[in-house]
Structure formats: structure tokens, C-alpha cells
Amino acid sequence: MKKILLCVTGGIAAYKAATIASQLYQLGFEVKVMMSESSQKFITPLTLQTLSRNEVYTNTFEERNPNVVAHIDLADWADLAVVAPATANCIGKLANGIADDMITTTLLATTAPIMIAPAMNVNMYQHPAVQANMQKLADYGYRFVEPGEGLLACGYIGKGRLAEPEEIIACIKDFSAKQMDLPLEGKKVLITAGPTREQVDPVRYFTNYSSGKMGYAIARAAAGMGASVTLVSGPTALEKPAGVMFIPVESTDEMFHAVMKEYPEMDLVIKSAAVADYTPRIKYGEKVKKKNESWSVEMEKTTDILSVLGEKKERQVLVGFAAETGNLEGYALDKLKRKNLDMIVANNVAQEGAGFSVDTNRVVIYKKDGSAKEYPLLSKDKVAQEVLAQAMELMPL
């Protein structure tokens, strides 16, 4: 169950739909959004289009594709429809078979499961008519995400506040896990991402150009496949992926200790972080003042995390990355063998579209059995899916 139809109706809580759409996309779900006319008074279609990476549907009579009827096509497309927020008006229409806009027309035509997240004034929520309508929908098989209690936008205090996006996401994931085959369900996956920082003094450090985008994409994809994901990340400007255990670190030494602590319990480890190979021998406690025309900083090797993982490997499938600027195959195969890896993902960061900080990558995947698979330029989200698919072939059933 990967295709989510998110239906946004008109309430102040409509802004939370942006977080829901964004986090579902990050988890690997395909999201399409429908908006009622009144919901567009609170949040724009452009916002949800940007976050879902799909066009937003607002008008039953706007048929952009002559080969299909839009609302029927969406009804057939969805694996799960989620109404968040769901107003009393929308709930009443669905309960009584009224189809007078894009959302209600589509939901009455779909055979997919429907999840309702109500949001309204406490007195509206408690009104017998609204309660009767929700009970009728529950009898039809609709699922509900209970609203929260607290201060409402209208100033009242009570039950009626839209459940937090994290709770709605959790309900979707739980329901999806029960309905679909999740290839990594029950597996523990450890991913490292981003750069490390090696301190010289309190205001200076050595680092590299890694943005963390590749590792974060793998973490999102693995979580979407049902894995229990631990992401150990150096400093990045990226949003923490939803549904993962996140461990922030700064230095290579901090990353080493965080990884080794989690390693024994893992089934799959993907080491995509660009860690520093050297660190300053002396770390000054105070800022070093400018005195001379030149300044030499003596460096010493950091712990080779991937080598240690290879030495201590037992049942884990171990995947490394090789970011090179030349002799890609030679360096990658040497690293694969020398560090006792099961698979290595190699890319030439000097190639256009395959370097740091971009949203695309061009990789070659080498396995210890001697096989190699080269990919064209793909989005990092797509590369993440391919990396996981290849790694799963090496994992015991």
C-alpha cells in the first residue's frame, strides 16, 4: 500500500496537511492531493503540489487528461484515502451519500479504505448529528483518527483539534503495514550520512562537501519499506526523516562510537557518510589568534569505521560508498575487498549531476560475487530504492 490520496477540507487545521504530505513523501509513499474549495482559503494548492511532487486536484469538472475521468481515475488509483482535516460538513456529506465536489465524488466512487481525521469546534464534534454521521461511516468501514483535546482555534477548550501529523502518519504506516508486503519489515537497518567535522579550535574545523542527501534518501526509503531505521548523521541542513531513530554526531570519533553501539543488533548497514580521514593532532581549547603568515596543522588518522565494521561483521550485510574522482572501478573494487564489504556503491563526484549537494546521482553497484550494475543519472530517491533492492538480494530470507 504505497499510493495515498490525501483529501484536505476547509478548516484552520488545513495547514497541517503540508506536514502530512511532506512526511508521507519522505517515507516513500506516492501522494496525490485533493482540496475542497474552502480549504484553499487556508493553504494553497501550490504548497501541497510542491510537497507531494504531484498535481493537486480541486475541480470535478477540470479534466486535464482526455483519456480518463479524473475523479474515477483517482478513486481507482488510491490504495488508501485520508481526509485530514475532515470537517463536519464533509463527514455529513459522506455519511449521507452526497457527492457535490471533487473530494466527495471521488470518495464515494473509491473502493479503497478511507481514513478520517476530524477537526472542528468541540460543540460541533459533540453534536448528535455529527456523532451519528461518524458512527454511520464507522459502520461502513471507515477508519478514524481521533481528534485531540486542548485549546481550539475558536478559543474553546475541548475535543476537536486535528490529531498531530505524526499521529496521523503513524496510523497510515500501521494500516499500510497490515495491508501490504513490506520487504524490510522486521529488519533493522543502520545508515550513516553527511560529513563529519574535525575541530581545530572552538571556531574552526575541517570538513568536506557532503550534504547528507544520499544517506537521508536511503533512510526514508528503508523506513517506507517497513524497516526499523537508525540514522547516524553528521551536521547537515536537511530535515530529519520521519519514522527513523536519529542520532546526530559531529566528529568521526563520535560517529564511530554511535555506530559500534548499534552495530550488533543490525541486519543491514549502509555506510554512506563522508567521514574525515584525518583529524588535528592538537585541538585547542581557545581560539588560535593570527600571528604568522602561515600556520601548519599537524594531522593524524581517524578510525576507519568501515574497516572495523568489516572486521567485526557476523551476520550483517555491510554496504559501503566510494566517492571518487577517477579510476572508479579500481578504487571501488579495492575498497570492497580490503574492507570486507558485501556491496559498494561507487560514484564519480566529478561528473555533472553526481557530486555533492545535488538531488541526483549516477552510480555503479559492485558486489563481492563479482557482479556490477551501472545506473544512468537518477534522482537520489530512486538511487536509494535501487541500493536497497540490491542489498536485499544479499540478505537471508
Side-chain angles (χ1 to χ4, degrees):
M1 179 173 292
K2 298 292 288 183
K3 296 179 288 188
I4 307 296
L5 183 61
L6 178 60
C7 306
V8 185
T9 63
I12 188 64
Y15 76 92
K16 292 185 179 180
T19 301
I20 296 170
S22 177
Q23 292 192 4
L24 285 173
Y25 175 80
Q26 291 180 44
L27 287 169
F29 290 94
E30 186 177 359
V31 184
K32 292 187 178 180
V33 180
M34 292 192 302
M35 300 181 70
S36 68
E37 182 178 355
S38 55
S39 71
Q40 297 169 60
K41 306 294 185 182
F42 298 98
I43 185 172
T44 68
L46 179 59
T47 298
L48 292 170
Q49 175 181 299
T50 302
L51 295 173
S52 68
R53 309 304 200 275
N54 276 312
E55 70 172 294
V56 173
Y57 299 84
T58 60
N59 189 336
T60 313
F61 301 101
E62 188 173 344
E63 298 287 356
R64 300 177 185 177
N65 183 352
N67 296 314
V68 297
V69 177
H71 70 279
I72 299 300
D73 188 54
L74 287 168
D76 294 339
W77 172 85
D79 291 323
L80 173 68
V82 179
V83 189
T87 60
N89 183 54
C90 180
I91 290 170
K93 289 179 181 179
L94 293 173
N96 292 281
I98 298 172
D100 64 353
D101 65 4
M102 187 73 180
I103 290 176
T104 52
T105 302
T106 304
L107 294 183
L108 290 180
T110 191
T111 58
I114 299 174
M115 186 178 291
I116 303 288
M120 64 195 76
N121 167 269
V122 58
N123 293 332
M124 293 175 67
Y125 182 75
Q126 293 174 349
H127 194 283
V130 175
Q131 290 293 315
N133 286 333
M134 290 193 293
Q135 184 58 56
K136 186 184 289 189
L137 291 179
D139 292 342
Y140 289 158
Y142 286 48
R143 293 158 176 82
F144 282 83
V145 182
E146 286 292 309
E149 295 189 34
L151 179 65
L152 306 179
C154 59
Y156 280 74
I157 296 176
K159 190 170 185 178
R161 185 171 61 190
L162 180 68
E164 291 303 313
E166 292 75 17
E167 183 181 350
I168 296 171
I169 296 289
C171 289
I172 293 170
K173 286 179 61 180
D174 182 64
F175 181 74
S176 298
K178 295 174 181 177
Q179 300 297 313
M180 67 180 290
D181 178 28
L182 296 173
L184 286 174
E185 187 174 12
K187 300 295 184 181
K188 294 184 177 181
V189 179
L190 173 65
I191 298 159
T192 67
T196 57
R197 291 176 178 173
E198 304 303 321
Q199 180 182 326
V200 179
D201 63 20
V203 299
R204 300 181 180 94
Y205 56 83
F206 289 95
T207 190
N208 57 64
Y209 289 113
S210 175
S211 66
K213 287 184 176 182
M214 189 69 254
Y216 278 54
I218 297 171
R220 289 193 299 267
M225 293 179 182
S228 175
V229 178
T230 300
L231 175 61
V232 180
S233 175
T236 77
L238 303 176
E239 182 180 350
K240 181 176 71 174
V244 309
M245 185 174 83
F246 185 77
I247 303 176
V249 297
E250 287 272 342
S251 68
T252 300
D253 188 61
E254 288 179 2
M255 182 171 284
F256 170 71
H257 285 97
V259 167
M260 296 311 299
K261 181 180 179 181
E262 303 295 331
Y263 190 45
E265 303 298 320
M266 294 297 149
D267 299 295
L268 171 62
V269 177
I270 300 178
K271 189 74 174 54
S272 66
V275 297
D277 295 321
Y278 293 89
T279 188
R281 186 179 295 276
I282 299 174
K283 295 174 175 58
Y284 298 92
E286 295 183 0
K287 179 183 176 181
V288 177
K289 304 303 290 184
K290 182 171 61 177
K291 296 179 181 178
N292 304 314
E293 291 299 320
S294 63
W295 176 24
S296 296
V297 178
E298 188 177 1
M299 308 288 279
E300 61 184 3
K301 277 189 174 183
T302 59
T303 302
D304 189 328
I305 301 174
L306 197 54
S307 289
V308 176
L309 294 177
E311 292 169 2
K312 296 183 177 295
K313 184 174 64 172
E314 296 177 348
R315 58 181 178 78
Q316 298 92 343
V317 171
L318 183 58
V319 179
F321 269 67
E324 306 293 346
T325 57
N327 190 19
L328 189 67
E329 181 176 1
Y331 287 136
L333 291 177
D334 174 69
K335 190 173 183 179
L336 177 70
K337 181 178 180 180
R338 182 165 43 84
K339 300 194 178 185
N340 192 28
L341 309 181
D342 298 290
M343 189 176 98
I344 192 162
V345 184
N347 67 315
N348 187 335
V349 295
Q351 289 184 336
E352 185 177 355
F356 296 119
S357 299
V358 296
D359 294 321
T360 54
N361 211 345
R362 188 192 307 271
V363 305
V364 184
I365 295 178
Y366 299 95
K367 294 181 180 178
K368 64 179 180 180
D369 63 5
S371 64
K373 187 170 184 179
E374 184 172 357
Y375 295 87
L377 189 67
L378 300 170
S379 71
K380 285 184 175 175
D381 288 315
K382 181 61 177 175
V383 172
Q385 294 171 12
E386 294 295 333
V387 168
L388 289 167
Q390 293 297 317
M392 282 189 288
E393 292 182 0
L394 304 174
M395 298 174 70
L397 300 176

